[in-house]
Amino acid sequence: MAEPMPAFGLGLAPLGKDAGAPWRETVDAAWDAGVRFFDTAPLYGPSRRAEQRLGAALHGRARGSFAVATKSGWTMLDDGARVADFSYDATLRSVAESLRLLGVDRLDVLHVHDPAEHHDAALAGAYRAAVRLREEGVVGHIGAGFNDGPAAARFVAAADLDCVLIALRYTLLDQSALASLLPLCDEREVAVIAAGVFGSGLLADPADGAPYAYAPAPPELVGRARRLAAVCARYGVPLAAAALRFPFGHPAVRSVVVGAGTPAEIADDVRLAGLDVPRELWAELVSEGLLPEEVPTP
């Protein structure tokens, strides 16, 4: 990427999908904590609610003072149904609507959103439209968002991307993106944005029934997360802080995006992201068999 990727961002999914979320207060709290990178999507809430809310919350702030990423390909309808359209014309319409709702004249990042099952259509339609928009200056960087490492690697190999967002596949519990995606991104100088680094909740609070990948975590994963937490505790480091820092051990990872639904959550995430994590902690995780030896650590 020609410009540095912000190291930390707020994901708007919780603020779009929850009708009663304190969205303005949460974005304000993120801003007050120094967050200047915001990631949203038409899929985050009916009627593109997350984009609407982010645009309202950022209204009046100098455009050059923040970066915003949104996506194209999937939309949530008023009734909550998910609709996919990766065509060229639909992408142009989607971006025009994103610009209107966000109240901006350009997007810092446009991701092709989860085209794992629409690879060819997304390359022929959404990606081609994104290239045109990048050439016109409407889009700064083209990315793609996935929660499947091999599908992401296939797309990275086929397109000229600036960045890729990978969710849930490069965390303290799942390093599957290391098999193909991260080395390819490093080789092609594609910036990686790690999302879902808490595994949707388990790595923030490894309690019984904690969510993992948006479903209750199985007991064996809860046990593994607690073993991770125990090692972290010996160094006075919260598990969540290690989860936030871990992805940066790989040179391709430039940013971590976390979803937060309240001002307290994002303030705590920013605090945790700023904590020191000693190198000895990572070495002990490897020696305890909680991280493979080949996984790079910060």
Side-chain angles (χ1 to χ4, degrees):
M1 292 183 65
E3 302 170 12
M5 173 67 65
F8 187 89
L10 171 65
L12 271 287
L15 300 182
K17 295 177 180 179
D18 181 359
W23 54 273
R24 188 182 297 275
E25 295 86 351
T26 303
V27 174
D28 286 347
W31 188 275
D32 291 343
V35 177
R36 296 294 184 272
F37 182 34
F38 302 91
D39 179 86
T40 186
L43 187 61
Y44 299 164
S47 301
R48 305 170 78 118
R49 185 159 58 204
E51 288 185 320
Q52 292 182 45
R53 289 177 167 180
L54 180 59
L58 293 177
H59 180 70
R61 304 187 193 273
R63 180 62 186 94
S65 65
F66 62 87
V68 61
T70 193
K71 306 176 183 70
S72 66
W74 287 95
T75 304
M76 183 177 289
L77 302 182
D78 291 346
D79 62 2
R82 296 161 46 105
V83 176
D85 191 340
F86 289 89
S87 67
Y88 184 91
D89 289 343
T91 301
L92 296 179
R93 291 193 300 269
S94 181
V95 169
E97 183 66 358
S98 292
L99 294 172
R100 185 184 72 83
L101 294 173
L102 292 166
V104 296
D105 60 357
R106 58 183 172 82
L107 300 172
D108 297 280
V109 180
L110 174 64
H111 291 297
V112 180
H113 196 181
D114 194 16
E117 298 181 2
H118 306 269
H119 177 87
D120 292 342
L123 284 174
Y127 170 68
R128 191 164 57 90
V131 170
R132 169 184 159 180
L133 293 168
R134 181 172 60 183
E135 291 172 348
E136 293 175 350
V138 176
V139 166
H141 302 295
I142 301 174
F146 288 86
N147 58 15
D148 181 298
R154 183 183 177 209
F155 204 82
V156 169
D160 177 22
L161 298 182
D162 301 299
C163 55
V164 64
L165 184 150
I166 184 71
L168 298 169
R169 301 296 173 243
Y170 200 60
T171 74
L172 285 174
L173 287 171
D174 185 335
Q175 299 90 47
S176 56
L178 189 62
S180 56
L181 177 63
L182 296 189
L184 179 62
C185 289
D186 197 25
E187 175 188 331
R188 294 175 67 105
E189 297 184 351
V190 175
V192 174
I193 305 167
V197 296
F198 296 142
S200 75
L202 181 59
L203 287 169
D205 180 13
D208 289 336
Y212 179 76
Y214 311 109
E220 60 270 21
L221 271 185
V222 175
R224 188 173 181 85
R226 287 175 174 167
R227 289 179 62 200
L228 288 163
V231 172
C232 291
R234 290 200 282 272
Y235 293 88
V237 175
L239 174 60
L244 283 165
R245 184 64 58 83
F246 166 73
F248 291 107
H250 196 283
V253 176
R254 309 287 178 82
S255 181
V256 165
V257 168
V258 298
T262 67
E265 282 183 13
I266 188 59
D268 195 44
D269 289 340
V270 173
R271 179 188 66 82
L272 291 166
L275 296 180
D276 289 331
V277 180
R279 294 187 60 84
E280 293 81 5
L281 184 153
W282 307 113
E284 186 164 343
L285 290 179
V286 172
S287 68
E288 292 281 333
L290 292 167
L291 282 178
E293 290 186 5
E294 67 271 16
V295 171
T297 55

